[in-house]
């Protein structure tokens, strides 16, 4: 089952930004995230004032080894965007290939769309996203990616899809479809923790 969480599970009294700053290490990443948040917030305030805005795409890549904080930061980032009014729902949906890809022809698009509908207006975190690009040309992972691409184009500024995984594998994943790289402009790199 796809995992979903809401604000009730978070630490009481702390803003999402405070939680991010309290995380150990990740100095370069925190700077990247803050730059991203400031850009999005600036754009949001211009929009609210009726000024012209540069279209912002929220979709992102989180690249790094397991245990480097990708899921935790994704949850916090979702709360920051929700608390800032950038996204409408404080929803975090976590999925993998098995949540998006079906075993039979024609079922993958429906399965993927159901997960997208659940995360609309919030965050969809796809862990080990490169698993969608494994297999032959007949693999249903490609059908899932095509469904994702259509949704991403139509929901670039109100839903955030985060594709996460190892750096090398994620770079190969982007080559799977020429539309992926252009629709995922935000890259966040998670360094390994030192002993």
């Amino acid at each position: 089952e796809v995992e979903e969480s809401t604000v009730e599970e978070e630490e009481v009294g702390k803003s999402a930004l405070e939680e991010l700053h309290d995380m150990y290490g990740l100095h370069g990443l925190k700077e990247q995230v803050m730059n991203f948040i400031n850009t999005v917030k600036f754009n949001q305030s211009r929009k609210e004032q009726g000024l012209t805005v540069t279209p912002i795409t929220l979709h992102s890549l989180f690249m790094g080894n397991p245990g480097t904080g990708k899921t935790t930061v994704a949850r916090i980032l979702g709360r920051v965007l929700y608390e800032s009014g950038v996204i409408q729902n404080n929803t975090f949906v976590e999925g993998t290939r098995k949540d998006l890809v079906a075993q039979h022809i024609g079922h993958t698009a429906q399965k993927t769309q159901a997960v997208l509908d659940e995360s609309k207006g919030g965050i969809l975190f796809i862990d080990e996203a490169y698993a969608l690009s494994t297999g032959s040309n007949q693999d249903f992972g490609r059908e899932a990616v095509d469904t994702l691409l259509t949704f991403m184009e139509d929901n670039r500024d109100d839903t955030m899809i985060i594709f996460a995984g190892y750096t090398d594998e994620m770079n190969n994943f982007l080559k799977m479809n020429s539309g992926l790289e252009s629709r995922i402009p935000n890259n966040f790199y998670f360094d390994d923790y030192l002993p």
Side-chain angles (χ1 to χ4, degrees):
E1 282 231 351
V2 179
E3 288 181 34
E4 188 178 336
S5 66
T6 56
V7 73
E8 285 128 30
E9 297 170 15
E10 315 302 344
E11 279 189 62
V12 179
K14 271 193 180 180
S15 76
L17 274 179
E18 287 171 327
E19 277 189 51
L20 179 67
H21 289 301
D22 286 351
M23 286 184 74
Y24 186 80
L26 301 175
H27 303 295
L29 174 83
K30 288 177 186 174
E31 195 174 318
Q32 282 182 287
V33 170
M34 288 311 301
N35 288 339
F36 172 73
I37 290 166
N38 289 335
T39 302
V40 171
K41 280 182 169 179
F42 176 73
N43 216 40
Q44 183 78 3
S45 69
R46 286 185 61 85
K47 196 175 182 179
E48 287 165 3
Q49 294 169 31
L51 302 169
T52 53
V53 294
T54 309
I56 292 271
T57 300
L58 298 175
H59 310 311
S60 302
L61 287 179
F62 277 24
M63 295 185 277
N65 289 323
T68 51
K70 296 186 295 294
T71 307
T72 303
V73 171
R75 285 179 186 277
I76 291 171
L77 183 55
R79 284 185 51 224
V80 171
L81 296 177
Y82 172 72
E83 289 170 6
S84 305
V86 175
I87 57 176
Q88 298 306 305
N89 299 323
N90 189 23
T91 304
F92 184 90
V93 177
E94 188 174 349
T96 60
R97 176 187 165 95
K98 70 177 176 57
D99 300 306
L100 303 172
V101 177
Q103 301 299 316
H104 308 289
I105 293 172
H107 292 189
T108 292
Q110 292 172 345
K111 197 171 181 181
T112 301
Q113 190 61 52
V115 173
L116 290 168
D117 291 344
E118 189 181 351
S119 63
K120 189 164 171 45
I123 305 286
L124 172 58
F125 181 81
I126 303 174
D127 203 7
E128 297 178 356
Y130 47 80
L132 292 171
S133 63
T134 58
S136 67
N137 285 338
Q138 276 68 50
D139 183 75
F140 298 139
R142 293 180 183 277
E143 189 181 344
V145 169
D146 290 343
T147 306
L148 286 165
L149 285 171
T150 302
F151 181 90
M152 289 165 71
E153 187 61 34
D154 297 340
N155 299 276
R156 65 175 76 173
D157 63 352
D158 67 355
T159 303
M160 183 178 198
I161 300 180
I162 300 171
F163 297 88
Y166 296 100
T167 304
D168 290 345
E169 283 89 340
M170 291 306 288
N171 286 326
N172 290 333
F173 167 69
L174 289 177
K175 294 174 189 159
M176 166 185 190
N177 185 308
S178 58
L180 276 170
E181 200 161 6
S182 64
R183 287 179 179 86
I184 314 172
N186 310 301
N187 298 333
F188 298 94
Y189 297 93
F190 290 72
D191 292 327
D192 291 340
Y193 280 104
L194 300 171

